[in-house]
Amino acid sequence: MLIRFAASVLFLSLVAFGAAADSSTPTGKWLAEDIDGGGVIDRLQTTLEIRDDGIVNGMGGCNRYAGSAKIDGNAIKFLPMASTRMACSPAVMNQESKFHSTLEKVRTWRIDQAQKKLLLLDRQGFELMRLSKMD
């Protein structure tokens, strides 16, 4: 009985550790909620997907983009992105441009685990972008 209890505790600890490890990485699919303190246009899907291998892609709001990021611990640097070249309304194009220029300034990341947010920060640790986890 004691062995079974110890095995159950060990299993639950490993499961909890795995869940915590997953929430402490910037990988996954994220939806922009705020870009450089200016908010975002309601219902405009500006997304960022980061894979384990550093491949990055998503939707800027009007155009799809792809590229890569160098991730080392909490340090992250987004490399130049390739993008489609469709035209949308000026407001959408402005947000998309702001999204890409802000990504270029990002140097570190942090997860707000309580709110399931990815915070992208500049060199001094100031928040440049806030994204929510997409399922």
Side-chain angles (χ1 to χ4, degrees):
M1 178 77 168
L2 183 59
I3 292 173
R4 207 178 252 170
F5 175 75
S8 295
V9 169
L10 178 61
F11 174 76
L12 291 174
S13 296
L14 290 173
V15 168
F17 176 76
D22 287 343
S23 63
S24 63
T25 177
T27 59
K29 190 168 184 181
W30 305 92
L31 176 66
E33 287 186 350
D34 182 76
I35 302 170
D36 207 15
V40 293
I41 299 171
D42 288 342
R43 293 186 234 157
L44 183 65
Q45 297 283 302
T46 301
T47 64
L48 172 68
E49 184 171 358
I50 305 171
R51 295 188 347 198
D52 289 332
D53 59 3
I55 299 296
V56 174
N57 64 60
M59 174 63 88
C62 182
N63 291 285
R64 298 211 48 79
Y65 67 89
S68 63
K70 291 183 181 182
I71 305 168
D72 185 16
N74 282 12
I76 188 167
K77 181 168 173 48
F78 291 92
L79 301 174
M81 302 289 167
S83 177
T84 58
R85 296 194 178 259
M86 303 207 21
C88 290
S89 72
V92 172
M93 296 306 292
N94 286 339
Q95 179 171 307
E96 185 168 282
S97 177
K98 188 176 178 182
F99 172 75
H100 287 291
S101 65
T102 301
L103 279 182
E104 292 175 11
K105 300 177 205 170
V106 170
R107 293 298 177 263
T108 62
W109 63 271
R110 180 170 57 86
I111 300 287
D112 179 335
Q113 293 185 2
Q115 295 184 20
K116 296 183 181 176
K117 308 285 185 198
L118 171 62
L119 306 176
L120 298 178
L121 314 167
D122 68 9
R123 202 176 303 274
Q124 290 79 31
F126 292 107
E127 183 179 315
L128 295 175
M129 196 176 306
R130 183 179 336 106
L131 304 104
S132 60
K133 186 77 168 176
M134 297 177 73
D135 293 325

